[in-house]
């Protein structure tokens, strides 16, 4: 799908949903921006993979999930846990490796935020490992007779892992309540998707598994929400998995500090900011509200960042805790 | 540990601890090692609706039997036949376990566990820890080890030391039907991921099993299978039987072996091991896994740390030869410590 300038054609029915999406993206953006400054000034103990530009896709998808639905994210940016309901302090706390993090600072570095009560089930940093795990959560929901759905998030590079195939074969034939959600930013570190994929879209592979494959403009949170909600509904109804591919833009490098020589200078010329697209959806009537949401988000992030900086580093004793129950 | 109803002598004069026939106590009956595992699974699935099993060809009976007839009782929903998708099977078990189920994955051969290496060693083993202890992963992965009667080098691996090496996983290797059943039940009930490695060489061994559905052997308790004074043989799995046979063979020569069956490698019951070595002052470790960097290396190091000043001889090790196990059935048997090998090693150890 060629990138194109896009103006929303019609305001969707639910202003509550729009404001919610706008708020999530604004907070995620504030966090991205503040963190970039923090890392520039103080460094980062680990690898931060900035998610700037991709917040809309994540916010849109996540808004289609219930709190008790299972989320397995891949770990670019921090929008997934934020959109699923985690507070800023547990997120930032882990980013800075502090005791206030959701894992008590243990899962910092490549952040492993988790909160089972919010359905935030964690990350596998060996990419592609969340497919079967999400399918297992979906299987478990089915066996326990709940109508929960599991979402596995991944990137275009990760769509080439063998586990992608192994899991879809099984999950599709078992009709598991599973949503595959690909954030295709066209790059895996520096490797361009078109150089390593025989098909122009990840979603083109869905036919091989007998499931729907949907390509959606990932910069448009409202559109992403719409297609994800359909996939979630299908999954809840027992009709099995859907493969969604959101075409997104990775504004930053693979990691914060990546010199990105592999990119052309004008790679952002067609970039469309998900926050601005949402603002356009909201229209003039909500302009003031939108400005306030953005200002509040920046203030809140600044405050939580300070709190996290002041928080304790974990006691080394926790290294040997949580190995066994 | 000896359980109340366990009819096997764990200490005292050496008698056959694995009676193939003959009278057994009312609470027990005789069956095979492999069938004992099937019984454990069936009983646990009856007891707890969250237990289910998954693997290849389970409805047919599984690679090594034990699941035959289970579909009739539990339905296709709880006896899941998967395709050839080892990484999926274990990853799926991890996801099911962290969301309230208790999966038992039947992996036909331990060799295939390497295909699911990320899922076993990094997901089951690390997920709880890396997410700050917020998850329990009560999954059991069954991975038969050892020679398979000519199935070749990629079907004959004994890789239980991988389970020892990667933190976060419990490791079980039962040595007879009683333990196979009671340890598998303990594994299913454990809130942690457990790697359960049956030894294929024992599949058709017959012996008593408990008929009490709540008979379990807590993980982490070694058993002294035979009392002796000359040296301690530290072993587990199929080598336990061979060590006991070697002990019988040596009894007339004034070499009196004590045999400790570890039963679980994680947790490792070093207290029982060292108490024995402190009595006998000599130790021989025997296992089915290749010798180099096998479990014996770790156990020997741990024992010398605890018993150095009490040792009358160096700790010795016997393991499989450091070569892939040939497909030839004739050659296969020469890869593993035999009763004669153990007898000879113990004789040498006794002379030092
Ligand atoms: C199994 C595995 N191989 C390699 C890596 C190293 N790695 C980390 S991120 C990354 C690129 C991922 O690309 P993609 O899936 O497109 O996601 P994106 O980073 O673009 O969000 C790679 C290769 C890894 N973490 N796991």
């Amino acid at each position: 799908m060629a990138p194109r300038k896009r103006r929303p054609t019609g305001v969707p029915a639910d202003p509550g949903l729009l404001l919610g999406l706008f708020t999530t993206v604004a907070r995620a953006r504030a966090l991205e921006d503040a963190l970039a400054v923090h890392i520039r000034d103080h460094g980062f103990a680990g690898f931060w993979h900035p998610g700037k530009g991709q917040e809309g896709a994540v916010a849109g998808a996540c808004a289609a999930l219930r709190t008790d639905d299972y989320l397995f994210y891949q770990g670019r940016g921090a929008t997934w846990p934020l959109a699923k309901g985690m507070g800023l302090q547990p997120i930032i706390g882990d980013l800075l490796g502090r005791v206030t993090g959701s894992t008590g600072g243990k899962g910092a570095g490549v952040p492993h935020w988790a909160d089972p009560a919010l359905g935030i089930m964690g990350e596998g940093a060996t990419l592609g490992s969340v497919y079967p795990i999400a399918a297992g959560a979906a299987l478990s929901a089915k066996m326990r007779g709940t109508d929960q759905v599991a979402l596995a998030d991944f990137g275009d590079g990760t769509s080439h892992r063998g586990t992608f195939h192994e899991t879809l074969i099984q999950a599709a034939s078992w009709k598991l309540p599973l949503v595959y959600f690909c954030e295709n930013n066209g790059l895996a570190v520096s490797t361009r998707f078109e150089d390593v994929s025989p098909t122009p879209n990840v979603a083109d592979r869905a036919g091989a598994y007998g499931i729907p494959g949907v390509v959606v403009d990932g910069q448009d949170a409202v559109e992403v929400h719409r297609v994800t909600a359909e996939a979630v509904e299908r999954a809840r109804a027992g009709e099995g998995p859907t493969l969604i591919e959101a075409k997104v833009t990775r504004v930053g490098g693979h990691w914060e500090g990546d010199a990105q020589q592999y990119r052309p200078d004008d790679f952002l010329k067609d970039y469309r900011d998900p926050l601005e697209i949402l603002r356009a959806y909201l229209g003039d009537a909500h302009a003031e509200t939108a400005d306030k949401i953005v200002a509040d988000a920046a203030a809140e992030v600044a405050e939580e960042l300070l709190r996290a900086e002041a928080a304790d580093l974990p006691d080394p004793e926790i290294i040997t805790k949580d190995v066994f129950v | 540990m000896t359980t109340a109803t366990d009819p096997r002598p764990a200490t005292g004069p050496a008698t056959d601890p694995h009676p193939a026939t003959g009278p057994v106590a009312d609470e027990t009956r005789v069956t095979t090692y492999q069938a004992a595992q099937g019984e454990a699974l069936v009983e646990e699935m009856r007891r707890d609706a969250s237990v289910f099993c998954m693997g290849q060809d389970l409805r047919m009976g599984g690679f090594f039997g034990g699941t035959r007839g289970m579909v009739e009782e539990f339905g296709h929903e709880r006896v899941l036949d998967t395709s050839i998708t080892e990484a999926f099977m274990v990853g799926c078990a991890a996801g099911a376990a962290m969301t309230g189920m208790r999966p038992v994955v039947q992996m036909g051969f331990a060799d295939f566990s390497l295909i699911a290496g990320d899922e076993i060693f990094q997901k089951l083993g690390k997920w709880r820890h890396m997410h700050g202890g917020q998850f329990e992963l009560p999954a059991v992965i069954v991975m038969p080890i050892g020679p398979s009667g000519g199935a070749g080098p990629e079907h004959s691996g004994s890789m239980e030391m991988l389970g020892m090496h990667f933190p976060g996983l419990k490791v079980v290797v039962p040595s007879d039907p009683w333990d196979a059943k009671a340890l598998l039940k303990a594994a299913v009930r454990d809130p942690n991921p457990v790697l359960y490695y049956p030894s294929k060489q024992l599949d058709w061994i017959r012996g008593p099993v408990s008929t009490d559905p709540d008979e379990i052997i807590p993980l982490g308790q070694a058993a002294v299978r035979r009392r002796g004074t000359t040296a301690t043989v530290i072993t587990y799995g199929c080598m336990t039987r061979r060590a006991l046979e070697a002990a019988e063979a040596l009894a007339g020569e004034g070499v009196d072996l004590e045999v400790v069956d570890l039963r679980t490698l994680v947790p490792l019951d070093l207290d029982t091991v060292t108490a024995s070595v402190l009595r006998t002052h000599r130790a021989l470790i025997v296992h089915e896994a290749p010798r180099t960097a096998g479990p014996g290396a770790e156990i020997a190091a741990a024992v010398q740390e605890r018993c150095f000043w009490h040792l009358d001889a160096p700790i010795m090790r016997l393991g499989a030869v450091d070569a892939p196990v040939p497909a030839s059935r004739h050659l296969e048997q020469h890869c593993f410590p035999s009763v004669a090998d153990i007898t000879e090693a113990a004789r040498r150890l006794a002379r030092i």
Side-chain angles (χ1 to χ4, degrees), chain A residues 74 76 125-127 155-158 161 185 187-189 250 254:
Chain A
Q74 181 188 264
R76 175 166 294 290
T126 50
L127 298 177
D156 47 290
T158 304
R161 270 292 307 276
N185 57 23
L187 286 171
V189 189
R250 191 189 89 193
H254 175 62

Side-chain angles (χ1 to χ4, degrees), chain B residues 128-216:
Chain B
R128 172 179 172 74
H129 185 270
M130 72 188 173
H131 294 100
Q134 298 189 73
F135 299 97
E136 290 186 5
L137 286 98
V140 180
I141 315 296
V142 178
M143 295 179 280
I145 53 172
S148 40
E154 291 148 302
H155 290 72
S156 306
S158 301
M159 50 199 74
E160 61 276 16
M161 83 294 181
L162 290 177
M164 291 179 83
H165 183 70
F166 286 87
L169 302 161
K170 294 193 175 178
V171 176
V172 175
V173 194
S175 65
D176 66 14
W178 183 287
D179 277 25
K181 182 172 180 185
L183 286 169
L184 183 53
K185 290 166 82 90
V188 170
R189 296 179 193 196
D190 201 284
N192 300 288
V194 180
L195 308 186
Y196 179 96
Y197 293 97
S199 173
K200 278 173 257 146
Q201 300 208 64
L202 295 174
D203 272 348
W204 304 109
I205 293 301
R206 296 175 65 79
V209 292
S210 175
T211 54
D212 174 358
D214 281 321
E215 180 79 31
I216 62 157

Side-chain angles (χ1 to χ4, degrees), chain A residues 70 102 106-107 112 114 116 121-124 126 129 132-133 136-137 140 143-144 166 170 174 319 321-325, chain B residues 52 77 81 83 85 87-88 91-92 95-96 98-99 101 118 122-123 127-135 168 192:
Chain A
Y70 297 118
S102 76
K106 191 187 271 179
H112 288 278
M121 305 302 286
E123 176 195 33
T126 50
S129 56
I133 301 176
S140 149
M143 289 178 131
R144 286 180 287 111
E166 283 198 20
Q170 211 64 78
W174 288 350
I319 295 169
K321 288 213 175 94
D322 308 325
V323 178
F324 292 118
V325 175
Chain B
F52 70 99
E77 297 73 26
D81 266 1
S83 191
T85 52
F88 167 77
C92 181
M98 69 177 80
T99 53
M101 300 299 287
D118 183 47
Q122 312 220 77
K123 299 291 130 23
W127 199 270
R128 172 179 172 74
H129 185 270
M130 72 188 173
H131 294 100
Q134 298 189 73
F135 299 97
N192 300 288

Side-chain angles (χ1 to χ4, degrees), chain A residues 49-50 54 74-77 110 124-129 131 153-161 182-191 193 248 250 253-254, chain B residues 118:
Chain A
H49 299 107
Q54 302 185 194
Q74 181 188 264
R76 175 166 294 290
V110 169
T126 50
L127 298 177
S129 56
Y131 303 118
D153 159 61
F154 57 99
D156 47 290
T158 304
S159 75
H160 297 162
R161 270 292 307 276
C182 178
E183 296 174 66
N184 187 344
N185 57 23
L187 286 171
V189 189
S190 69
T191 304
F193 180 69
V248 295
R250 191 189 89 193
H254 175 62
Chain B
D118 183 47

